[in-house]
């Protein structure tokens, strides 16, 4: 099975970085998992698709149509913010790009479950996380962690 | 995007029917979603893979390794029985094959959310469901409902 | 600790029966748990409060204000329909009064978890449930099951 | 309805502080909500009961018996770590006492939902939280926030 890497975060200013991370993950053979909505989530999926990768959206709501247009597969959870647990748990590694409170919850769950977590500079600051200065470094650290 | 059809149920005696349904769905271009564990879930995935299809496991626990070996993509929800909501919600249509209380919960959620639900004879009896006598008929009814 | 009994269901025509069940449960020293919204849920709470009982609402949404006015304690789950699992699991016994698909999901979860389940005539028909013709009989069967 | 305050956290060294917070909350007429298990959760409940207060446990598992002995009312969610969302959402205010990754997830959810969040010194450090040096100050800040 292909490694699965979750890209979490939010904020329009982080879309370029997220797209770059999605592209690099796809080039390395990883499936890109996100929360399935816009901004960082959509950009990571878009980057992965541009590189021929595979994408999975894990949505909070009850409608498949809420997923961004670059989602290949859509899991409709219906459990609101609690789907953040599924996003965190479904990644062999998790990369945080920008983001707010929802991202912080995902980081916390990923750490609680022993997933590899990498925070790109600008993500919520949490003691004990691997941090990366660039998308390429974030992807390297994530993949190194799960090998 | 490919249609997604969830195959739900349990019981070793239903594995042949589930594999046949998985195969027919894959031949018709559908992605096969299940709860990701054994028996009916594993058989539906196995049938889909034998026909070159794509499969998604939506697991109740916290470990990706719990998925059956025919799962291409694995969503690790960590929410126990509540993942039945996600299995039901993630199918454009839902086909029930055998099954017990968990299957009944999935049928109920799928109906509550307006998904197309088809019960192969032998699944929990619920008033108002479309029923099918054979795997082929179940797949026909499911696809007719979502077109 | 007081026994907890979950009253599940929906439908305006069932409110009198639900209120009677809430009253009888309170008189027997049980805490009445519901999904916290209207109709059967509100009526069961109202009946319990009229008899001096204690009530708990387990809400699907994110706002405490959604609870009916007879809820003493409010658990705000934020997980939508998946809160039906918590309603079912939190009762030592579960009594179904009228109801639709959501009620059926709760019955299924309660059975999966080994809770005592009693269906008042008119609730979704499910093989293997204890059934009761009157509110008094439903309460008797529920309490007999958990003693 | 009585205000509900969630006390979150973990760590044996924080039990005295948690018990003091539970006691002060009960004296101020608040219901004390926790995740229902041991250490900080049990201590907060114990403190509240010593002052004649009311306590609610929101458990991750499927068994009511998992609750600590000072829980008056027990909500059995069955959704694992995702119950942290319910603990955060069910408090009009949330007080963090010590704690690790699970606590951080609860803080994040509480902030995302606009709850009043107070961190006693020693809780996970998160930018933007109200912080308190003593249990008494934590309770004052929490109650000031919801009035």
């Amino acid at each position: 099975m292909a490694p699965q890497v979750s890209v979490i975060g939010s904020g329009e200013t982080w879309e370029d970085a997220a797209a770059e991370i999605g592209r690099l993950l796809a080039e390395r053979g990883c499936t890109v998992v996100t929360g399935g909505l816009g901004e960082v989530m959509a950009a990571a999926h878009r980057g992965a698709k541009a590189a021929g990768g595979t994408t999975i959206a894990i949505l909070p709501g009850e409608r498949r149509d809420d997923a961004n247009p670059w989602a290949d597969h859509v899991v409709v959870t219906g459990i609101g913010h609690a789907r953040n647990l599924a996003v965190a748990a479904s990644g062999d590694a998790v990369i945080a790009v920008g983001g707010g409170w929802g991202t912080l919850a995902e980081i916390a769950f990923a750490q609680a479950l022993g997933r590899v977590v990498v925070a790109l500079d600008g993500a919520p600051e949490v003691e004990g996380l691997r941090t990366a200065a660039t998308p390429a470094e974030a992807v390297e650290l994530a993949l190194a962690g799960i090998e």
Side-chain angles (χ1 to χ4, degrees), chain A:
Chain A
M1 269 192 310
Q4 296 184 172
V5 177
S6 296
V7 181
I8 62 176
S10 60
E12 284 185 22
T13 58
W14 296 101
E15 292 181 13
D16 287 351
E20 175 76 357
I21 287 170
R23 182 179 69 78
L24 292 167
L25 288 170
E27 287 175 0
R28 300 286 289 268
C30 298
T31 298
V32 175
V33 177
T34 77
L37 301 176
E39 295 181 350
V40 160
M41 298 175 269
H45 276 179
R46 179 166 46 81
K49 292 311 296 176
T54 299
T55 58
I56 300 177
I58 304 179
L59 295 173
E62 299 177 350
R63 293 159 32 88
R64 186 176 174 186
D65 292 349
D66 294 339
N68 68 61
W70 298 280
D72 290 321
H73 308 295
V74 180
V75 169
V76 179
T77 69
I79 58 172
H81 289 288
R83 79 83 152 75
N84 291 18
L85 173 60
V87 174
S90 297
D92 300 310
V94 175
I95 301 176
V97 184
W101 297 116
T103 308
L104 186 61
E106 288 167 322
I107 289 171
F109 281 138
Q111 290 279 132
L113 294 173
R115 300 302 187 267
V116 176
V117 182
V118 179
L120 185 68
D121 288 347
E125 288 192 23
V126 177
E127 229 175 327
L129 293 194
R130 291 172 178 82
T131 57
T134 65
E137 190 188 356
V139 170
E140 286 306 318
L141 285 170
L143 295 186
I146 61 181
E147 271 158 19

